[in-house]
Amino acid sequence: MRLLVTGGAGFIGSNYVRHAASGDYEGLRDAEIVVLDKLTYAGVKENLDPVADRVELVVGDICDAELVGELMQRVDQVVHFAAESHVDRSIDGAADFVMTNVVGTQTLLDAALRHGVDRFVHVSTDEVYGSIDEGSWTEDRPLEPNSPYSASKASSDLIARAYHRTHGLPVLITRCSNNYGPYQFPEKVIPLFVTNLMDGGTVPLYGDGLNVRDWLHVDDHCRGIELVRAGGRAGEVYNIGGGTELTNRELTERLLAASGKDWGSVVPVEDRKGHDRRYSVDIGKISAELGYAPQVEFDAGLADAIEWYRGNREWWERLKQR
Ligand code: NAD
């Protein structure tokens, strides 16, 4: 089997590729893996170093129809991670988000349809649902995205669904909660706070700090994606989550404690525009159909991640200068 992984040099895509190419996913032990990644500011070639001899990296853009067509001809299945992924950047300027997340996804779907791929897994996000004060979203809830990032992801999610409904392309969609773990770009809250605190700096806390996120270890997200790729039903959406719900204040408290710092290191800053209050996904469907359950306990996973950032200063120091 030949598998195309887009965005495989980013945080989550590279985690999936490292596991797949190391034989951790039974269904991919003999797979040939091709990664298509543009190596934007968020793409790091070295993230694939541990499996570089088992993976082909093609540096290119998912919006490049000719290149995407050539690659699609050579593969049987696709797992599509490539995206502009940082909400704050989408508030500063949404053009790259629409181009990569919407047009890029449509370019991939078109080529997948032309070349008859057997599975197309589209990696979406729980942010497409909007914000929920109580309870959790099931997959049939309407999409009400609030940021340009989540709106561009909702658009690509719906275009992927439409390629199944209209053309019968075997598309599967996953919508996951917030991820943490090693190799996360240090603009995202956990690695940003951890590395700032490591250097004796301060950390910015948005608004009243009471926004709630469900934190899931990246290994659990990738395990969920692999379950969907291997056994999910075409045309279906699967939520992935079930991590630990924390307010940003609670998260900050834990990161301060792990770094031996106190609230003196925290600088309150004006709230993010349109900041969603709470995300929460219901994972009943993927659990019942595919036997998914998160395995990494939050405190242990966070301690491991912090240890990884401590041991890999040269990795994040360089990226913080980008
Ligand atoms: P990331 O920003 O770390 O990585 C994105 C990767 O895509 C990078 O390697 C980048 O070079 C590549 N890329 C960007 N534009 C490209 C283009 N035009 N052509 C080819 N490659 C391109 O993002 P991430 O956090 O690893 O997220 C991966 C996917 O998972 C995204 O689709 C994101 O929406 C989704 N997701 C993320 C989270 C999270 O908590 N980080 C949660 C749920 C879903």
Side-chain angles (χ1 to χ4, degrees):
M1 208 270 283
R2 293 156 305 172
L3 179 70
L4 176 64
V5 180
T6 71
F11 165 47
I12 306 172
S14 72
N15 183 282
Y16 182 81
V17 171
R18 287 191 304 275
H19 282 296
S22 305
D24 297 343
Y25 301 145
E26 205 181 324
L28 292 178
R29 294 225 167 107
D30 300 319
E32 283 171 35
I33 300 175
V34 181
V35 169
L36 172 59
D37 198 297
K38 190 177 173 182
L39 299 182
T40 65
Y41 80 93
V44 184
K45 189 170 167 284
E46 292 73 24
N47 291 358
L48 294 172
D49 278 355
V51 292
D53 55 337
R54 279 159 281 161
V55 171
E56 177 186 348
L57 171 63
V58 176
V59 178
D61 193 327
I62 58 169
C63 300
D64 178 343
E66 199 180 323
L67 172 63
V68 164
E70 278 165 26
L71 293 174
M72 216 53 90
Q73 215 170 3
R74 295 166 43 195
V75 299
D76 306 299
Q77 300 193 358
V78 179
V79 182
H80 171 37
F81 292 94
E84 286 294 333
S85 69
H86 192 43
V87 177
D88 288 341
R89 286 181 188 256
S90 80
I91 295 168
D92 291 342
D96 287 348
F97 287 74
V98 173
M99 188 52 75
T100 286
N101 301 0
V102 186
V103 177
T105 299
Q106 181 267 326
T107 305
L108 290 165
L109 288 163
D110 242 17
L113 183 64
R114 252 182 298 122
H115 295 289
V117 305
D118 332 318
R119 304 290 266 173
F120 187 109
V121 180
H122 175 71
V123 179
S124 187
T125 163
D126 65 352
E127 299 193 29
V128 297
Y129 294 116
S131 183
I132 188 166
D133 289 336
E134 282 172 17
S136 303
W137 294 295
T138 47
E139 289 82 353
D140 53 3
R141 289 295 280 266
L143 307 190
E144 295 179 323
N146 294 315
S147 72
Y149 162 68
S150 55
S152 68
K153 290 295 291 187
S155 307
S156 57
D157 183 314
L158 292 176
I159 290 171
R161 179 178 178 276
Y163 270 70
H164 172 74
R165 294 292 167 118
T166 304
H167 300 294
L169 184 69
V171 168
L172 301 107
I173 296 170
T174 62
R175 296 184 186 144
C176 188
S177 58
N178 277 49
N179 284 210
Y180 71 96
Y183 295 94
Q184 187 168 28
F185 198 87
E187 66 186 350
K188 303 278 168 67
V189 63
I190 291 183
L192 177 73
F193 279 26
V194 166
T195 56
N196 281 8
L197 292 170
M198 243 175 239
D199 281 347
T202 57
V203 298
L205 184 65
Y206 277 134
D208 62 7
L210 296 180
N211 304 65
V212 176
R213 298 294 181 260
D214 167 29
W215 289 100
L216 185 73
H217 194 277
V218 61
D219 284 351
D220 281 328
H221 182 187
C222 289
R223 250 193 295 273
I225 290 169
E226 178 52 15
L227 285 171
V228 170
R229 186 204 61 78
R233 286 179 294 136
E236 294 293 316
V237 177
Y238 295 89
N239 286 340
I240 304 177
T244 300
E245 275 196 26
L246 294 173
T247 64
N248 285 343
R249 284 187 76 84
E250 289 165 333
L251 176 68
T252 304
E253 189 80 56
R254 295 195 193 202
L255 297 174
L256 290 171
S259 311
K261 305 280 179 184
D262 58 30
W263 279 91
S265 301
V266 178
V267 178
V269 295
E270 195 182 326
D271 207 358
R272 170 191 272 170
K273 285 188 195 170
H275 204 174
D276 288 331
R277 198 62 173 170
R278 177 171 172 265
Y279 300 136
S280 181
V281 284
D282 182 316
I283 57 165
K285 180 174 173 179
I286 190 172
S287 308
E289 278 189 27
L290 301 173
Y292 165 83
Q295 294 177 9
V296 183
E297 192 270 319
F298 182 74
D299 286 326
L302 187 65
D304 282 353
I306 292 174
E307 209 38 53
W308 189 87
Y309 290 101
R310 279 207 183 100
N312 288 278
R313 172 177 281 276
E314 72 295 345
W315 182 88
W316 56 261
E317 225 164 25
R318 196 166 43 89
L319 299 184
K320 275 184 129 174
Q321 284 154 16
R322 276 190 187 179

